[in-house]
Amino acid sequence: MNKLTSKIIAHFFKKTKRKHIRQILYQFSISDIILSIYYVFKILLYCPKQGYFIIEANPFHTECLYSILFYLKNKKNIIILGDKKALSLGILDQCSDFSKPKYFFITPISLWLLDQMHFFNHSRFMFANSYLVWLTQSSIEYLLPEYLKTKKSLFTIDHAPGKWTNTISKRTNVHQLVLADFLSNIYGFPAIYTCIFPQQIQKSKQFLFLSIGAACDSKRRDMNSFISWMEEHRNYQSCIITKDLSDKNIYNRIKQLPNNTLLFSPSFTEMFNSISQSIFMPFLIHGDNLGYYQTSISGNMNLALGFGIIPIIDTRLAQLYGFTDKEAIIYNGQSKFFDALNQASLLSEQEINKIQKALLSLRNKHIQKSISFFNTFIKS
């Protein structure tokens, strides 16, 4: 929406809210607003007000929903309000450990409108899968002011505390959670682990190496080194899963790998099947300066734990994430990365099974701790 139209619409709101309303409207077209209003009417007609609401207003982080649903599986009337792009990838179609919940599409605008109508004030539980709402560059609490005035609790996951939003909410009834113990130690937020996924480990393993994440962002992950090793070991099967192929050089090199499977923005069914058929997962993050990952989490950690995929991980990152050489192959700095890949490729099936057993034992400890904590704060 253009700035003039946004200012005109925002003028009808309280002065203290106008700037924030304008920021939201800048990101939307007229068709987006019409769609948002349609979502509101649909929710008002078909969605019960009293329920366990789980919100995901972003088109990413959606894989975390499965774990949250697992932790809430004994609760009735669970309702998902989610971004259409994210939910359309089929995460809710994967529900095998519990009944598929009701779900409705939302946008940040429709979420805010529902709050202004006091729709959520009688809800039993409010959980936001992401603290930051990327499209509006604001935290979820700014879209739920009326609900929060009731002094009811809003529980939310902060994936990257302090990176894009204020580290600590000023509201006492906003309870921020993080996704790993090392983040809990840094920020003081309780940690829950979202490492529960629907696919069981398959006996047949098609891929020796799995790379999943930002393929073309050199500031985040070292894809070039991984491709270089694969180019020298062309007989090994690998799988690369990414949403970013903007770097033509990397894209062309990946396409030329003879035994690599490339999945670009796959459905959750396809993604989970490929992950469960993999053995090793290089995290592709090296060195003393971890940059973004010094205070934020790589989703690879939960995928490795959830599927028993053996991490190949730099020693600094391993220490943060709590991996030892019992659960992972650990190397010291980028210069030792190729040695780690060579070591992994030479492990026997018995050695692989031993590491996977230790990895799944660590996973179970994290899950039990998370269940215990979840049961505590859901009663608060």
Side-chain angles (χ1 to χ4, degrees):
M1 182 182 294
N2 64 55
K3 292 186 177 181
L4 178 59
T5 306
S6 301
K7 287 182 178 179
I8 292 172
I9 295 175
H11 181 74
F12 293 96
F13 295 88
K14 292 180 181 180
K15 190 174 182 179
T16 55
K17 296 182 178 180
R18 288 175 188 171
K19 181 179 179 180
H20 186 65
I21 296 300
R22 287 200 304 271
Q23 290 176 337
I24 294 176
L25 293 175
Y26 289 160
Q27 305 292 330
F28 286 84
S29 64
I30 294 297
S31 60
D32 291 328
I33 294 176
I34 293 172
L35 189 63
S36 298
I37 294 173
Y38 167 73
Y39 289 157
V40 168
F41 278 115
K42 191 169 183 179
I43 289 170
L44 290 174
L45 285 173
Y46 299 108
C47 180
K49 293 182 179 180
Q50 291 186 341
Y52 291 86
F53 284 93
I54 303 175
I55 300 168
E56 178 52 278
N58 285 322
F60 44 81
H61 299 321
T62 317
E63 73 280 357
C64 295
L65 277 178
Y66 195 90
S67 296
I68 303 305
L69 289 171
F70 180 88
Y71 294 137
L72 288 169
K73 65 180 180 179
N74 294 324
K75 302 298 180 183
K76 295 181 179 180
N77 209 14
I78 295 175
I79 302 152
I80 305 291
L81 302 178
D83 175 83
K84 183 176 182 179
K85 180 180 178 182
L87 293 186
S88 295
L89 291 175
I91 186 68
L92 300 181
D93 296 333
Q94 296 289 313
C95 295
S96 57
D97 299 319
F98 38 78
S99 299
K100 182 177 178 179
K102 297 178 182 178
Y103 69 93
F104 299 87
F105 298 140
I106 56 162
T107 67
I109 285 181
S110 59
L111 190 63
W112 180 83
L113 288 171
L114 287 166
D115 179 73
Q116 292 298 300
M117 299 175 185
H118 297 180
F119 179 82
F120 300 114
N121 288 15
H122 300 289
S123 63
R124 297 177 184 175
F125 178 76
M126 290 284 282
F127 185 97
N129 200 40
S130 295
Y131 183 66
L132 173 75
V133 180
W134 172 78
L135 191 59
T136 61
Q137 287 295 293
S138 61
S139 64
I140 188 70
E141 63 183 274
Y142 288 105
L143 299 176
L144 300 171
E146 297 304 316
Y147 169 79
L148 291 171
K149 285 179 184 177
T150 66
K151 303 301 180 182
K152 287 186 174 183
S153 294
L154 170 66
F155 296 94
T156 180
I157 296 176
D158 204 334
H159 294 255
K163 183 67 177 179
W164 293 286
T165 58
N166 293 329
T167 302
I168 300 176
S169 173
K170 295 180 180 179
R171 301 176 189 265
T172 57
N173 54 331
V174 173
H175 303 283
Q176 294 165 261
L177 312 172
V178 289
L179 294 175
D181 287 333
F182 88 95
L183 289 175
S184 181
N185 294 334
I186 295 173
Y187 298 105
F189 301 151
I192 60 169
Y193 281 76
T194 55
C195 56
I196 302 172
F197 299 98
Q199 295 291 330
Q200 299 297 318
I201 297 176
Q202 297 186 9
K203 292 183 179 180
S204 60
K205 297 294 183 180
Q206 180 179 353
F207 307 114
L208 184 65
F209 294 115
L210 167 74
S211 173
I212 180 167
C216 298
D217 186 348
S218 59
K219 294 180 180 179
R220 295 277 290 274
R221 301 174 75 245
D222 179 21
M223 180 59 70
N224 276 310
S225 292
F226 177 65
I227 295 174
S228 294
W229 191 90
M230 290 301 302
E231 288 171 339
E232 295 177 7
H233 301 80
R234 302 171 73 86
N235 291 331
Y236 290 126
Q237 298 278 350
S238 61
C239 179
I240 295 175
I241 303 174
T242 185
K243 293 182 180 180
D244 177 15
L245 290 172
S246 56
D247 187 317
K248 296 301 181 183
N249 177 56
I250 287 181
Y251 172 70
N252 289 332
R253 290 176 68 193
I254 291 174
K255 291 294 289 183
Q256 291 172 12
L257 293 173
N259 290 306
N260 179 74
T261 297
L262 173 63
L263 299 179
F264 181 72
S265 297
S267 68
F268 279 104
T269 298
E270 190 176 14
M271 184 176 79
F272 289 159
N273 282 338
S274 297
I275 294 173
S276 66
Q277 293 179 56
S278 305
I279 300 175
F280 299 103
M281 183 187 295
F283 278 43
L284 307 181
I285 305 162
H286 321 289
D288 291 337
N289 182 10
L290 298 176
Y292 171 84
Y293 296 103
Q294 186 74 42
T295 55
S296 304
I297 192 169
S298 165
N300 284 354
M301 183 193 72
N302 280 312
L303 290 171
L305 287 168
F307 288 93
I309 312 300
I310 299 172
I312 300 176
I313 188 169
D314 182 271
T315 181
R316 183 76 178 275
L317 201 59
Q319 289 173 0
L320 282 177
Y321 287 179
F323 290 124
T324 70
D325 56 9
K326 292 181 179 179
E327 303 94 13
I329 295 175
I330 299 175
Y331 60 94
N332 190 13
Q334 186 174 9
S335 63
K336 299 296 182 180
F337 177 54
F338 281 11
D339 291 341
L341 295 178
N342 290 332
Q343 178 187 347
S345 67
L346 296 174
L347 288 182
S348 67
E349 184 175 352
Q350 183 178 6
E351 290 170 318
I352 289 171
N353 290 338
K354 183 178 179 180
I355 298 175
Q356 286 182 324
K357 185 177 180 180
L359 185 62
L360 292 177
S361 177
L362 179 62
R363 168 190 184 265
N364 291 336
K365 290 179 182 177
H366 287 318
I367 289 175
Q368 291 306 312
K369 181 180 176 181
S370 299
I371 289 174
S372 177
F373 177 73
F374 221 92
N375 289 338
T376 299
F377 78 65
I378 198 173
K379 296 175 182 177
S380 60

